[in-house]
Amino acid sequence: MNHDIRSANRRSTVLWVLLLAATVFTWAVGEGGSGGAAIAALLLGVAALKGAAVILDFMALARAPLLWQLITLGWLVLVCALIGLAYWKGMP
Protein backbone atom coordinates (compact mmCIF):
# COMPACT_ATOMS: atom_id res chain seq x y z
CA MET A 1 0.00 0.00 0.00
CA ASN A 2 2.89 2.35 0.70
CA HIS A 3 4.03 1.90 -2.90
CA ASP A 4 0.58 2.91 -4.18
CA ILE A 5 0.63 6.10 -2.14
CA ARG A 6 4.12 7.03 -3.34
CA SER A 7 3.12 6.32 -6.93
CA ALA A 8 0.00 8.48 -6.61
CA ASN A 9 2.01 11.27 -5.00
CA ARG A 10 4.59 11.11 -7.77
CA ARG A 11 1.86 11.21 -10.42
CA SER A 12 0.21 14.22 -8.78
CA THR A 13 3.54 16.00 -8.48
CA VAL A 14 4.41 15.41 -12.14
CA LEU A 15 0.95 16.59 -13.21
CA TRP A 16 1.28 19.66 -10.99
CA VAL A 17 4.62 20.54 -12.59
CA LEU A 18 3.10 20.08 -16.06
CA LEU A 19 0.21 22.36 -15.10
CA LEU A 20 2.70 24.97 -13.89
CA ALA A 21 4.64 24.69 -17.15
CA ALA A 22 1.42 25.08 -19.15
CA THR A 23 0.53 28.15 -17.09
CA VAL A 24 3.95 29.73 -17.73
CA PHE A 25 3.60 28.88 -21.43
CA THR A 26 0.17 30.49 -21.75
CA TRP A 27 1.31 33.54 -19.78
CA ALA A 28 4.40 33.97 -21.97
CA VAL A 29 2.43 33.59 -25.21
CA GLY A 30 -0.30 35.91 -23.94
CA GLU A 31 2.23 38.56 -22.96
CA GLY A 32 3.48 38.53 -26.55
CA GLY A 33 0.31 40.41 -27.41
CA SER A 34 0.03 39.34 -31.04
CA GLY A 35 -1.17 36.34 -32.94
CA GLY A 36 -4.89 36.79 -33.36
CA ALA A 37 -7.45 34.04 -33.40
CA ALA A 38 -5.04 31.13 -33.83
CA ILE A 39 -3.08 32.04 -30.71
CA ALA A 40 -6.30 32.66 -28.78
CA ALA A 41 -7.57 29.22 -29.80
CA LEU A 42 -4.28 27.64 -28.74
CA LEU A 43 -4.40 29.34 -25.35
CA LEU A 44 -8.03 28.37 -24.84
CA GLY A 45 -7.19 24.77 -25.78
CA VAL A 46 -4.35 24.65 -23.27
CA ALA A 47 -6.66 26.10 -20.62
CA ALA A 48 -9.26 23.43 -21.43
CA LEU A 49 -6.66 20.67 -21.10
CA LYS A 50 -5.53 22.10 -17.78
CA GLY A 51 -9.13 22.22 -16.58
CA ALA A 52 -9.72 18.62 -17.61
CA ALA A 53 -6.58 17.54 -15.77
CA VAL A 54 -7.72 19.31 -12.61
CA ILE A 55 -11.22 17.85 -12.88
CA LEU A 56 -10.11 14.29 -13.50
CA ASP A 57 -7.03 14.08 -11.29
CA PHE A 58 -7.11 16.64 -8.49
CA MET A 59 -10.88 16.50 -8.05
CA ALA A 60 -10.58 12.70 -8.30
CA LEU A 61 -13.39 12.37 -10.82
CA ALA A 62 -11.45 9.97 -13.04
CA ARG A 63 -12.90 7.11 -10.99
CA ALA A 64 -16.26 8.75 -10.41
CA PRO A 65 -19.43 7.63 -12.17
CA LEU A 66 -19.60 8.60 -15.83
CA LEU A 67 -22.47 11.03 -15.19
CA TRP A 68 -20.31 13.16 -12.88
CA GLN A 69 -17.50 13.16 -15.40
CA LEU A 70 -19.85 14.22 -18.18
CA ILE A 71 -21.39 16.99 -16.06
CA THR A 72 -18.08 18.52 -15.00
CA LEU A 73 -16.30 18.12 -18.34
CA GLY A 74 -19.43 19.31 -20.15
CA TRP A 75 -19.43 22.44 -18.01
CA LEU A 76 -15.78 23.01 -18.91
CA VAL A 77 -16.52 22.62 -22.63
CA LEU A 78 -19.49 24.98 -22.36
CA VAL A 79 -17.47 27.68 -20.59
CA CYS A 80 -14.58 27.37 -23.07
CA ALA A 81 -17.01 27.51 -26.00
CA LEU A 82 -18.67 30.64 -24.61
CA ILE A 83 -15.29 32.31 -24.06
CA GLY A 84 -14.28 31.40 -27.62
CA LEU A 85 -17.59 32.71 -28.98
CA ALA A 86 -17.22 35.97 -27.05
CA TYR A 87 -13.69 36.38 -28.40
CA TRP A 88 -14.80 35.61 -31.96
CA LYS A 89 -17.75 38.04 -31.76
CA GLY A 90 -15.48 40.77 -30.39
CA MET A 91 -12.95 40.47 -33.20
CA PRO A 92 -12.89 43.42 -35.62
Side-chain angles (χ1 to χ4, degrees):
M1 182 158 172
N2 226 0
H3 180 268
D4 292 339
I5 292 172
R6 275 187 263 145
S7 177
N9 285 342
R10 186 172 299 122
R11 174 182 159 76
S12 292
T13 301
V14 168
L15 182 58
W16 178 71
V17 169
L18 290 173
L19 288 170
L20 283 175
T23 299
V24 170
F25 169 75
T26 55
W27 174 79
V29 171
E31 281 295 308
S34 63
I39 295 298
L42 171 69
L43 297 179
L44 192 56
V46 171
L49 290 174
K50 287 172 48 182
V54 169
I55 288 169
L56 294 174
D57 197 77
F58 290 106
M59 292 174 62
L61 289 176
R63 293 189 178 128
L66 181 61
L67 179 61
W68 283 110
Q69 292 178 20
L70 292 175
I71 289 170
T72 54
L73 292 172
W75 177 256
L76 177 64
V77 168
L78 175 66
V79 169
C80 288
L82 290 174
I83 291 170
L85 179 64
Y87 181 82
W88 179 65
K89 286 289 196 178
M91 289 177 59

